Amino acid sequence: MAGVNDLNRLKNTTCYLCGPMDRVDDGGVGWREDITPILKEMGIGVLNPCNKPTSFAVEDGRFREGIDQLKKMEMFSGVADAMKEVAAIDLRMIDIAHFVIMYIDMDVHMCGSYHEAFVAIQQKKPLLVMCKQGSPSLPNWLFGVMPHQHMFSYWTCLTNYLEDVHTGKDNEDYNRWRFFDFEKIYTKEK
């Protein structure tokens, strides 16, 4: 049986994909579809708010159009009711994720993504941030609440770092990575 000190340290963990959805043309789908196969290749489960593992709180183009209509008609109670379900399930996915990957485009206003990120930070989960404009463009506040070594300017740097964590090449955990032997949890002991 493989232990946590062996290769594949991230196998059977889950990752939440955090980033803008309601103010980007593709609804936030593109980058999530690009990184998902890389994560799954490492045996990492993916929690994707664009493709929630639930039958409710579906957040697609039709949903966003409905929210926009409710706002135009100033039916804010309807907006609140719909968004409470979305916020609840997305924050629950943060709770059960072992780590979070966050995509930031400084040209796109985000609200929920920052909330999700700060919940992950409070829970001492690894938060890996990829910034479209480069990590020097990230908000100053992030540098005060998370390791700067978890901030990236290129997807390849983020995925290389993740591969190093996965294979044990990265020995620095910045007080965030905690590994469990999931084989012990899920298999019968003899």
Side-chain angles (χ1 to χ4, degrees):
M1 247 189 307
V4 291
N5 294 322
D6 300 326
L7 299 178
N8 305 320
R9 293 193 297 178
L10 297 176
K11 184 178 179 186
N12 297 325
T13 63
T14 53
C15 173
Y16 179 75
L17 303 179
C18 175
M21 292 172 59
D22 65 341
R23 295 175 187 246
V24 291
D25 291 338
D26 72 348
V29 172
W31 74 269
R32 288 175 172 95
E33 286 181 348
D34 292 342
I35 197 154
T36 293
I38 296 166
L39 298 171
K40 289 192 175 194
E41 182 68 28
M42 287 187 250
I44 299 167
V46 176
L47 295 169
N48 179 348
C50 294
N51 186 17
K52 292 177 176 60
T54 64
S55 59
F56 58 93
V58 175
E59 207 174 349
D60 57 12
R62 200 171 107 216
F63 174 83
R64 283 187 287 280
E65 287 172 13
I67 293 293
D68 289 344
Q69 279 300 102
L70 290 171
K71 286 172 141 182
K72 285 177 188 172
M73 297 183 307
E74 298 187 10
M75 297 177 70
F76 301 123
S77 292
V79 175
D81 290 344
M83 289 309 299
K84 282 178 186 176
E85 282 198 20
V86 168
I89 193 65
D90 289 2
L91 290 171
R92 179 64 183 130
M93 287 192 287
I94 288 286
D95 288 341
I96 64 174
H98 294 94
F99 69 99
V100 175
I101 293 176
M102 180 181 197
Y103 174 68
I104 297 177
D105 179 344
M106 295 304 298
D107 295 331
V108 176
H109 177 75
M110 298 188 313
C111 180
S113 299
Y114 282 121
H115 184 183
E116 293 165 349
F118 290 121
V119 168
I121 289 168
Q122 287 179 322
Q123 294 175 353
K124 297 289 188 195
K125 293 180 181 193
L127 171 68
L128 309 180
V129 176
M130 207 316 277
C131 181
K132 179 180 177 180
Q133 291 80 6
S135 52
S137 298
L138 285 168
N140 296 341
W141 189 267
L142 286 179
F143 288 88
V145 296
M146 65 176 285
H148 69 86
Q149 296 88 346
H150 289 175
M151 300 174 185
F152 302 91
S153 300
Y154 305 98
W155 282 113
T156 53
C157 294
L158 186 149
T159 56
N160 287 344
Y161 169 77
L162 206 54
E163 185 65 33
D164 287 349
V165 170
H166 183 57
T167 60
K169 290 179 188 168
D170 179 79
N171 293 323
E172 298 295 325
D173 64 19
Y174 309 111
N175 203 26
R176 294 291 197 265
W177 293 104
R178 300 290 185 253
F179 300 101
F180 294 88
D181 187 344
F182 287 106
E183 295 294 326
K184 268 187 177 177
I185 295 169
Y186 293 111
T187 58
K188 286 185 178 183
E189 296 283 328
K190 291 184 180 186

